[in-house]
Amino acid sequence: MARLFGTDGVRGLANGDLSPELAMSVAAAAARVLAEHDSSHRPVAVVGRDPRASGEMLQAAVAAGLTSAGADVMQVGVLPTPAIAHMVGELNADLGVMISASHNPMPDNGVKLFAAGGQKLPDTIEDEIEAAVGATFGRPTGAGVGRVYDISDALDRYLVHLLKAVPNRLDGLRVVVDCANGAAWAAAPQAYREAGAEVIAIHALPDGENINDGCGSTHLDRLREAVLAERADLGIAHDGDADRCLAVDAAGEVVDGDQIMAVLALAMKESGELAEDTLVATVMSNLGLHLAMREHDVRLRTTAVGDRYVLEELRTAGLSLGGEQSGHVVLPAHATTGDGLLTAMRLMSRVAATASPLADLAGVMTRLPQVLVNVKVADKAAVAKSDSVASAVAAVETELGDSGRVLLRPSGTEQLVRVMVEAPSHELAEAAAQRLVGVVSSVG
């Protein structure tokens, strides 16, 4: 049977495979597992959501599941995912539940869980919760049934937290922010204004159905147009639940997560905040990031793809900055998970402090052309073991030398092998990738 929990909680078509019954069962199971681990008090859960229409239904189901298992529920309304993680810690809660499907289209939704302190749930606890989903249990009655409370000042608390994490004000900056008609529609413009920026907000009128619809961090064209039309210093793009951030410079050029990490790493090294002068990124980060960090004496550690692996490395090694090319950036001194608003404010504070255009700051890193091809195969394990594939990869790596990179990565869920090549030119990268695709296809 397929695992219920994916890399980022339980996700699916709302009212389809992600039914209210399933959401209620997951929530009840989570409360029961928590109570089994610590029976000293009644569990408390913080519950929030993004503005997609199905969130109202699923929030009611989650609240019902939690209270039926004896947990109290603190509802904070529509807030970014990192705000839920923050409120778990601030309210000293035992669990956080964010109802969101992040950058997925509106019909989808998800249930993401946070442990005490706003940390990601350990895999072992997720496994226990999954095993308990659908199981019968003795339900509390009378005063043992959980209660539901609305926390009206959660946004204000989150904004205070964000403003404390910004080293300097943003006065003088003119910024366009694309809120993706999502969870950041109110929080992001208000946070940036309170920090001193002049803010033009776009896609900040969610109606429950327009989240991520041709906007946000996965559709940057409208933000680029708005930055140019408004003569802004830069643009910021969030996804539906605002745990990621991408940027656009004053000329309308995209600044991706790798470039954002490069800017922040050098700023934090200068201020003494970059623990061990080390940045954590995934294997998908561009070779240009590696070269830029090497040039500035910043060590770069790489992990498997996924922010959970970046978080694990940051915690284990006691490091202070990590993230992904997609714009998930983690600053453990200020947040327990990727926070797109925090990332944006730290990036803008660097622009303001140096009085340098974002293009100049991001220019510390040159992105090498990258070609990624998904190759359907019959047996991805056979590809991984193939001597001919290994020889082909070695040959391309020899040709590219230090000026390029090859990565073959099997999909975790499908019979696919992802072939990625970086090279000094797109033509070289494309040619090398197609050679490898041919070898992979013949073996798999």
Coordinates of all heavy atoms in Angstrom, one line a residue, residues 11-19 54 57-58 104-110:
R11 N -1.5 14.9 0.8 CA -1.9 15.9 -0.2 C -2.8 15.1 -1.2 O -2.5 13.9 -1.5 CB -0.7 16.5 -0.9 CG -1.0 17.9 -1.3 CD 0.3 18.6 -1.9 NE 1.0 19.3 -0.9 CZ 2.1 20.1 -1.2 NH1 2.5 20.2 -2.4 NH2 2.7 20.8 -0.2
G12 N -3.7 15.8 -1.8 CA -4.5 15.1 -2.9 C -5.7 16.0 -3.3 O -5.8 17.2 -2.9
L13 N -6.5 15.5 -4.2 CA -7.7 16.2 -4.6 C -8.7 16.4 -3.5 O -9.2 15.4 -3.0 CB -8.3 15.5 -5.8 CG -9.6 16.1 -6.4 CD1 -9.3 17.5 -7.0 CD2 -10.2 15.2 -7.4
A14 N -9.0 17.6 -3.1 CA -9.9 17.9 -2.0 C -11.3 17.4 -2.3 O -11.8 17.6 -3.4 CB -9.9 19.4 -1.7
N15 N -11.8 16.7 -1.3 CA -13.1 16.0 -1.4 C -13.1 14.9 -2.4 O -14.2 14.3 -2.7 CB -14.2 17.0 -1.8 CG -15.5 16.7 -1.1 OD1 -15.5 16.1 0.0 ND2 -16.6 17.1 -1.7
G16 N -11.9 14.5 -2.8 CA -11.7 13.3 -3.6 C -10.9 12.3 -2.8 O -11.4 11.8 -1.8
D17 N -9.6 12.1 -3.2 CA -8.8 11.2 -2.4 C -8.5 11.9 -1.0 O -8.2 11.1 -0.1 CB -7.5 10.8 -3.1 CG -6.8 12.0 -3.8 OD1 -7.3 13.1 -3.8 OD2 -5.8 11.7 -4.5
L18 N -8.4 13.2 -1.0 CA -8.3 13.9 0.3 C -9.7 14.3 0.8 O -10.2 15.4 0.6 CB -7.4 15.1 0.3 CG -7.2 15.8 1.6 CD1 -6.7 14.9 2.7 CD2 -6.2 17.0 1.4
S19 N -10.4 13.4 1.4 CA -11.8 13.6 1.8 C -11.8 14.2 3.2 O -10.8 14.1 4.0 CB -12.6 12.3 1.9 OG -12.0 11.4 2.8
S54 N -11.7 24.7 -0.4 CA -11.9 23.5 0.3 C -11.2 23.5 1.7 O -11.5 22.6 2.5 CB -11.2 22.3 -0.5 OG -9.8 22.6 -0.7
M57 N -13.8 23.5 4.5 CA -14.4 22.1 4.8 C -13.3 21.3 5.6 O -13.7 20.7 6.6 CB -14.7 21.4 3.5 CG -15.0 20.0 3.6 SD -15.2 19.2 1.9 CE -13.5 19.2 1.4
L58 N -12.1 21.3 5.1 CA -11.1 20.5 5.7 C -10.7 21.0 7.1 O -10.4 20.2 8.0 CB -9.9 20.4 4.8 CG -10.1 19.6 3.5 CD1 -8.9 19.7 2.6 CD2 -10.5 18.2 3.8
N104 N 0.4 23.8 -5.5 CA -0.6 23.0 -6.3 C -1.8 23.9 -6.8 O -2.1 24.8 -6.1 CB -1.0 21.8 -5.6 CG 0.0 20.7 -5.5 OD1 1.2 21.0 -5.5 ND2 -0.4 19.5 -5.4
P105 N -2.4 23.4 -7.8 CA -3.7 24.2 -8.3 C -4.8 24.1 -7.3 O -4.8 23.2 -6.4 CB -4.0 23.5 -9.6 CG -3.4 22.2 -9.6 CD -2.1 22.4 -8.8
M106 N -5.8 24.9 -7.4 CA -6.8 25.1 -6.4 C -7.6 23.8 -6.1 O -7.9 23.6 -4.9 CB -7.8 26.2 -6.9 CG -8.9 26.5 -5.9 SD -10.3 25.3 -5.9 CE -11.1 25.7 -7.5
P107 N -7.9 22.9 -7.0 CA -8.7 21.7 -6.6 C -8.0 20.8 -5.6 O -8.6 20.1 -4.8 CB -8.9 21.0 -7.9 CG -8.8 22.0 -9.0 CD -7.8 23.0 -8.5
D108 N -6.6 20.9 -5.5 CA -5.9 20.1 -4.5 C -5.9 20.8 -3.2 O -6.1 22.0 -3.0 CB -4.4 19.9 -5.0 CG -4.3 19.0 -6.2 OD1 -5.3 18.3 -6.5 OD2 -3.2 19.0 -6.8
N109 N -5.6 20.0 -2.1 CA -5.4 20.5 -0.8 C -4.5 19.5 -0.1 O -4.2 18.4 -0.6 CB -6.7 20.8 -0.1 CG -6.5 22.1 0.8 OD1 -5.5 22.4 1.3 ND2 -7.6 22.9 0.9
G110 N -4.1 19.9 1.1 CA -3.3 19.0 1.9 C -3.4 19.3 3.4 O -3.9 20.3 3.8

